[in-house]
Amino acid sequence: MPKLIFLPHEVICPEGAMIEVEAGISICDAALQHHIEIEHACEKSCACTTCHVYVREGGDSLEPASDLEEDYLDKAWGVDPDSRLSCQALVADEDLVIELPKYTINMVSEQH
């Protein structure tokens, strides 16, 4: 099973995390199942940018971003070449190293 390695984030997972997941699950769903509270204001429907992450290693194993995902990434804070919307990026068979951005443009979270 592939591993998702989350780099430390001072609020969401201060010590980082490593989880094993089944291929085919989205990065967002995998994180949420393991109590890594990634924001997802649009209910994971590719209609916002709150679940933006950086896939620092293993990103080549992911399917390319759709045009819709690319359009939303254009609106995300701090986008770089490793950026993905975690609700759209489905884990394949390689381990991934994931960095959570320091900020999102979301002013309201589903959890609040």
Side-chain angles (χ1 to χ4, degrees):
M1 280 198 297
K3 294 178 183 70
L4 303 187
I5 301 157
F6 289 87
L7 299 175
H9 181 280
E10 64 184 63
V11 175
I12 297 172
C13 61
E15 296 180 20
M18 183 177 70
I19 59 177
E20 288 190 33
V21 300
E22 295 284 337
I25 190 170
S26 73
I27 293 171
C28 187
D29 283 337
L32 293 170
Q33 287 177 6
H34 289 86
H35 310 291
I36 300 168
E37 297 299 324
I38 294 178
E39 290 186 64
H40 52 286
C42 71
E43 299 179 11
K44 303 177 272 182
S45 65
C46 196
C48 73
T49 64
T50 59
C51 71
H52 169 230
V53 297
Y54 305 107
V55 181
R56 297 299 187 201
E57 293 179 24
D60 291 342
S61 69
L62 303 174
E63 289 292 319
S66 68
D67 289 343
L68 182 60
E69 181 181 354
E70 291 286 351
D71 288 345
Y72 275 101
L73 282 170
D74 287 342
K75 302 171 189 174
W77 180 89
V79 173
D80 76 12
D82 295 335
S83 291
R84 291 298 302 261
L85 296 181
S86 65
C87 71
Q88 299 301 299
L90 302 181
V91 176
D93 56 357
E94 283 187 35
D95 296 348
L96 302 175
V97 175
I98 300 159
E99 180 180 358
L100 303 174
K102 188 170 183 177
Y103 303 105
T104 71
I105 62 170
N106 189 32
M107 301 308 266
V108 179
S109 168
E110 288 185 347
Q111 301 299 319
H112 303 289

